[in-house]
Amino acid sequence: MQATKSFERAFLRQLLRVFRLSAVSYKSMSLQERKSAIKLSADVAMASARGSRKWTRGLIAKLSEEDEHRSFLRLILGTEYERLTKPCHGSWKIPRSKKIVRRSLRVCSRRKNNLRAPHGVKSSVLARTLVEKRTHALKRLVPGGESLDGYSLLDEALDYVISLRAQADLMQKLLTTFEASKLSALSKCTLPERKASFVGK
Amino acid sequence: MGSAGSYGVGTGNSGAYMTEIAEPIRFDEEIRSLIQARFDAPPVSGGSFTALLGLSANQAVGLLHEPGAGEVSASAAASSPTGLGHPLGWSPTFPSNAGLAERAASFPVFAAADSPASSSGGGPSPQLKAEPSDSDSSPPLPVPIDKPRRPAKRKDCEKQKAKGPAKKLKTAEEHTEDDQLPYVHVRARRGQATDSHSLAERARREKINARMKLLQELVPGCSKITGTALVLDEIINHVQSLQRQVEFLSMRLAAVTPRIDFGGLDSFLMAECGPLAASNGRGEVALDPVSWSSDPAPGTGQRTDLRPSQQSSTAWVYPYGLINHGTSLFGYGAANSVPLNSNQSKTDL
């Protein structure tokens, strides 16, 4: 599975746009501040490029927790911000009657106990706990994952991994590009020299 | 530059889809084209602004992108800095987002990058409308609809004998149910209970197993591992390492960024294209986001020279072929400036 080109393009566009917008203020920041600003911009760019998914909403919600970030986000995303932050209709919980759920759980557990021959140590219980622990860990990692059930958690995790990977790759390429252009752009040289040096490179 | 492949995780797989711009040089050109394409974007025709650009008002107006023209100038005139506080110390007179939002709404969305011909102001609304329906239907599997599934399963139960010799082969009767109802058809195997509860569980488990398999393929080195817990372990490790990677990269970018003269970067493009005067300090201009779309073309009488040469260079630089070079310069330039939700991207995955 790979990230689509349109996603990459949109991501790059957003990121470059943010860089340009904030280039001036970058000069007055310390390294740490710049790093968190860039990380914030990269996350916002990724979320807006991906569109409307549960993890993008969760990510933007997490980033909006601070007021300062919120105004920044609103600036970058524009009208999309409102759309992304209002609750998604897809997260309706299917209305379940407690009595029925309880009864079915009882039936299921009884059936499980009857079908599988009872061992001394319930290996299934152990296996389930291990999986549960890891599921909780995954829920914490994937933005917005806390409220997802097993299947959608895996779905969002899949999407999230693809996007993260694309983000890392694009940032890497951006970095090498910047470093390359920095090396070849001697600050004092005039334009024709710069051009010559670039072409020569 | 030897650091291109230095990050092992994930770059192996991803090398496949970025082959066109695998080398830093090519990527460099793509970035330059993106930045460069802004020169074709319509400059805002605020009077003082064009004076700042050194363009005559006529030229500026002449280059205005048609649909965006009215809104852009209106918003430029109307926008006033509302003093948004940037989280990390931006200048307090950072211009309002209202103008930006207006322009954002008015510009043909980045979706126009794929269909640049549709560079009209009406672009956004069909895109926006398409979005909710897309997110509705986002699960790619044939979604098992709960209600029709239940009665169908009961039919299944009646046909298969309980705890019985339910074979794995499809019977003729059950074929018909497949055609009619969009649900995941679950087979009861020999010796397994066939009542609705376990069928539901089994369907759910199979869905989850399908996702797990996809994730296994995605995460490197996971296909050999058996067992849910271990696979989940690997996935968690992978996600954590990717997140750490992003943080590390942002640290490195932060180290590089202040020395990057974004104005100088633009002058690269100009130099590449033709004999043009060096751009003025881009940094100051960048303060005004309204200028983003206009992105001042340095050099006064040279816009016309710029365009043909830019056309050829963007044609060369952007090898995807997805952008229609003829119309893209305006459409892409406009689309470049205001990013909106790229609706097609989320369905593409």
Side-chain angles (χ1 to χ4, degrees), chain B residues 7 19 34 46-47 61 99 102 115 123 181 222 265 277 287 308 332 340:
Chain B
Y7 291 97
T19 47
L34 279 174
V61 170
E102 269 179 67
S115 54
L181 296 164
C222 222
L265 206 54
L287 255 183
Y332 186 71
L340 276 188

Side-chain angles (χ1 to χ4, degrees), chain A residues 8-9 13-14 17 20 22 24-25 34 49-50 52 80 89 111 155 160 165 169 172 177 194, chain B residues 7 14 17 27 90 110 131 136 195 211 218 243 254 267 282-283 292 318 336 339 341-342 345-346:
Chain A
E8 288 167 3
R9 258 183 289 132
R13 231 177 263 142
Q14 275 277 31
R17 172 175 169 253
R20 301 193 55 76
S22 41
V24 181
S25 43
R34 251 197 324 266
R50 184 67 191 94
S52 174
E80 211 187 310
H89 60 275
R111 191 170 302 116
D155 207 21
Y160 185 55
R165 190 182 285 180
D169 286 342
Q172 172 71 55
T177 308
R194 218 187 276 187
Chain B
Y7 291 97
S14 55
Y17 68 81
F27 189 68
W90 279 3
F110 286 141
E131 198 257 339
D136 279 344
D195 58 335
R211 288 290 132 175
L218 192 64
Q243 285 175 339
S267 70
R282 196 65 64 203
W292 174 251
Y318 218 91
N336 182 32
N341 170 22
S342 53
S345 74
K346 83 183 152 39

Side-chain angles (χ1 to χ4, degrees), chain A residues 3-72:
Chain A
T4 62
K5 297 235 167 62
S6 54
F7 169 69
E8 288 167 3
R9 258 183 289 132
F11 174 76
L12 189 60
R13 231 177 263 142
Q14 275 277 31
L15 195 55
L16 287 176
R17 172 175 169 253
V18 174
F19 279 173
R20 301 193 55 76
L21 289 177
S22 41
V24 181
S25 43
Y26 281 168
K27 298 196 172 100
S28 54
M29 297 183 197
S30 73
L31 183 70
Q32 288 297 329
E33 291 173 339
R34 251 197 324 266
K35 171 202 147 197
S36 37
I38 288 179
K39 179 151 187 293
L40 175 69
S41 330
D43 287 340
V44 171
M46 175 170 73
S48 86
R50 184 67 191 94
S52 174
R53 295 281 309 215
K54 297 209 177 72
W55 67 264
T56 57
R57 287 165 191 269
L59 183 59
I60 290 179
K62 205 189 320 179
L63 293 174
S64 312
E65 273 165 16
E66 297 186 36
D67 292 325
E68 308 166 320
H69 291 352
R70 206 175 302 161
S71 54
F72 176 62

Side-chain angles (χ1 to χ4, degrees), chain B residues 149 153 186 198-208:
Chain B
R149 191 165 47 140
K153 279 219 200 110
V186 180
S198 28
L199 276 176
E201 281 172 37
R202 203 173 309 128
R204 184 177 148 270
R205 250 181 285 141
E206 286 188 6
K207 262 172 43 178
I208 292 185

Side-chain angles (χ1 to χ4, degrees), chain B residues 210-287:
Chain B
R211 288 290 132 175
M212 286 287 288
K213 224 182 300 180
L214 281 177
L215 273 168
Q216 268 184 304
E217 286 169 31
L218 192 64
V219 175
C222 222
S223 25
K224 305 171 195 140
I225 302 181
T226 47
T228 316
L230 295 170
V231 169
L232 281 178
D233 250 351
E234 286 303 312
I235 294 168
I236 289 171
N237 285 338
H238 192 54
V239 169
Q240 277 174 338
S241 81
L242 281 174
Q243 285 175 339
R244 260 180 276 136
Q245 212 173 320
V246 166
E247 231 180 282
F248 190 59
L249 280 170
S250 68
M251 166 81 77
R252 286 183 66 185
L253 275 171
V256 169
T257 302
R259 311 250 318 268
I260 284 287
D261 174 22
F262 284 99
L265 206 54
D266 291 339
S267 70
F268 258 141
L269 315 178
M270 307 310 287
E272 200 30 28
C273 294
L276 295 168
S279 64
N280 46 358
R282 196 65 64 203
E284 292 83 18
V285 178
L287 255 183

